[in-house]
Amino acid sequence: MNSIAATYSQLIKSKAKKFGFQDCGISKADFLEEDAQHLESWLKNNFHGEMKYMENYFDKRLDPRLLVEGSQSVISLSYNYFPKEKISTLENYKISKYAYAEDYHEVIKEILCEMVAELQEEIGDFGFRVFVDSAPVLERSWARKSGIGWVGKNANLITKQSGSFYFLAEIICDLELIPDHETTDHCGTCRKCIEACPTDAIVSDKIIDGSKCISYATIELKNEIPEHFKNKMEDWMFGCDICQDVCPWNRFSSPNLQSRFTPNAFLKNFKKGEWKELTQELFSEIFKKSPVKRTKFAGLKRNIEFLEQSSGQ
Ligand code: SF4
Ligand code: SF4
């Protein structure tokens, strides 16, 4: 075993812990052969709906060496976002837990950059790029390969210790490191997520028809929400957590310790009545730093109106 690679790998994992990451695993930067076939057939089936950007950078998505010149390793990291407080769903519309607080892209990217700066102080300069759901990186595939968890039937990455409510991030770098091994799949005969999905979007084991998914309809879709979602949205106005909430592994979720992930006060106090009165001005104030800004005011308004019409209110 290369002793420098082993020392660096160990150092990176202890830094990841210090910076609040729950798990850290390493893979060799290589072509993702198995995933190439899955991605191709997912796109062929048009399961990406209007997410046309998924068709771009096909080769780069599958080979990090095309994305970061000279890269040798992919470091996968997970960061818990399970909220400290639940937002009441009584007389309220629902929002995915990951969007309760500040935008994770910014929070985690900052943490990653600080972590890399500390690493460079200790081991010297190295080439790298950090990614948080922001570039063509197949995050779940790398996290699975690095042994952080397995991909569940709901297509989320799941760990035995803490379920699936965490963000994934990567450092792709030119350091030679010691790769970890994949873990085993622990879904077994469970089908809870498939049975609970109100739109039948989980078409088979690990395959989501994005165009049927509430998350897609409320966030990614730019046009009108199709009629087939009527009466099936279960009051979700941004995202959907159903297939994660029912997953038995999420009974091990514990609240995150990140102060910037404290739920937005507006979200805690608003009820359906307030959401219906939402204005552009208020939207900008509430969601200034939130991932909800992705759907823009018009998108959130459309979602709320669709929910109102569906329930005949
Ligand atoms: S996020 Fe919701 S709609 Fe999408 S697959 Fe999961 S349960 Fe179904
Ligand atoms: S609900 Fe069951 S089948 Fe679905 S991801 Fe969780 S363990 Fe796997």
Side-chain angles (χ1 to χ4, degrees):
M1 188 191 280
N2 177 336
S3 71
I4 295 181
T7 309
Y8 286 177
S9 304
Q10 216 31 61
L11 178 69
I12 288 165
K13 287 178 184 175
S14 61
K15 278 287 176 238
K17 279 254 161 319
K18 179 187 161 192
F19 279 85
F21 290 99
Q22 203 165 330
D23 280 302
C24 172
I26 295 167
S27 317
K28 185 172 174 345
D30 223 336
F31 181 67
L32 286 169
E33 199 154 343
E34 198 187 314
D35 300 84
Q37 291 160 15
H38 289 154
L39 180 61
E40 201 172 352
S41 95
W42 191 73
L43 291 169
K44 260 197 191 136
N45 280 310
N46 210 24
F47 287 161
H48 57 312
E50 282 182 18
M51 295 181 278
K52 296 295 174 211
Y53 60 84
M54 291 299 295
E55 294 167 17
N56 303 335
Y57 310 115
F58 186 82
D59 294 335
K60 284 187 179 170
R61 275 181 207 283
L62 295 160
D63 195 337
R65 293 168 302 183
L66 302 175
L67 201 59
V68 183
E69 214 188 311
S71 56
Q72 296 209 57
S73 305
V74 179
I75 304 162
S76 296
L77 300 128
S78 65
Y79 202 97
N80 181 17
Y81 68 80
F82 191 74
K84 305 175 201 29
E85 293 171 68
K86 240 196 125 206
I87 290 175
S88 169
T89 53
L90 201 71
E91 274 309 299
N92 201 358
Y93 294 123
K94 298 173 193 161
I95 180 165
S96 251
K97 293 181 211 16
Y98 82 82
Y100 277 11
E102 262 193 65
D103 194 337
Y104 62 98
H105 296 96
E106 280 145 45
V107 176
I108 298 188
K109 206 163 218 170
E110 278 175 32
I111 299 173
L112 276 178
C113 290
E114 279 174 39
M115 175 176 150
V116 173
E118 249 192 59
L119 280 169
Q120 291 193 323
E121 266 173 33
E122 290 179 42
I123 62 181
D125 254 8
F126 58 86
F128 75 95
R129 270 182 75 186
V130 297
F131 299 94
V132 186
D133 188 25
S134 60
V137 177
L138 293 179
E139 305 201 290
R140 264 170 311 180
S141 306
W142 290 110
R144 184 204 71 224
K145 236 172 124 62
S146 77
I148 288 187
W150 74 96
V151 179
K153 288 178 189 161
N154 61 8
N156 281 280
L157 194 93
I158 304 176
T159 67
K160 266 176 145 181
Q161 303 75 25
S162 46
S164 62
F165 289 108
Y166 41 75
F167 300 117
L168 294 173
E170 302 73 36
I171 303 169
I172 301 183
C173 65
D174 62 5
L175 293 173
E176 189 190 348
L177 301 169
I178 306 292
D180 293 299
H181 300 289
E182 284 196 28
T183 175
T184 40
D185 184 318
H186 295 275
C187 279
T189 55
C190 176
R191 289 176 51 84
K192 281 185 193 291
C193 53
I194 298 174
E195 284 155 11
C197 176
T199 53
D200 297 325
I202 308 176
V203 288
S204 63
D205 188 359
K206 312 182 204 323
I207 312 280
I208 309 290
D209 179 348
S211 65
K212 283 187 175 174
C213 175
I214 296 169
S215 253
Y216 160 85
T218 55
I219 304 170
E220 301 290 343
L221 194 67
K222 299 291 169 254
N223 297 316
E224 290 302 299
I225 297 177
E227 278 295 296
H228 62 80
F229 282 99
K230 212 164 178 190
N231 302 318
K232 291 188 175 164
M233 306 259 292
E234 302 196 4
D235 275 343
W236 288 94
M237 70 168 179
F238 185 89
C240 166
D241 283 344
I242 296 173
C243 56
Q244 292 197 81
D245 285 338
V246 300
C247 178
W249 293 105
N250 277 326
R251 67 187 186 276
F252 301 118
S253 305
S254 54
N256 73 75
L257 303 170
Q258 170 58 254
S259 58
R260 292 169 76 184
F261 290 162
T262 302
N264 182 321
F266 284 102
L267 301 188
K268 288 195 281 181
N269 299 324
F270 268 35
K271 294 285 177 210
K272 284 184 179 175
E274 280 86 16
W275 287 121
K276 284 176 202 165
E277 300 300 321
L278 189 69
T279 60
Q280 169 72 67
E281 208 182 355
L282 202 50
F283 175 89
S284 306
E285 188 187 341
I286 301 175
F287 298 117
K288 192 168 43 184
K289 289 177 151 189
S290 152
V292 176
K293 63 182 180 299
R294 182 177 171 88
T295 189
K296 302 198 172 74
F297 169 66
L300 195 65
K301 194 85 183 155
R302 172 205 62 185
N303 300 345
I304 294 167
E305 282 169 3
F306 188 82
L307 292 172
E308 272 184 74
Q309 285 159 13
S310 300
S311 63
Q313 286 164 21

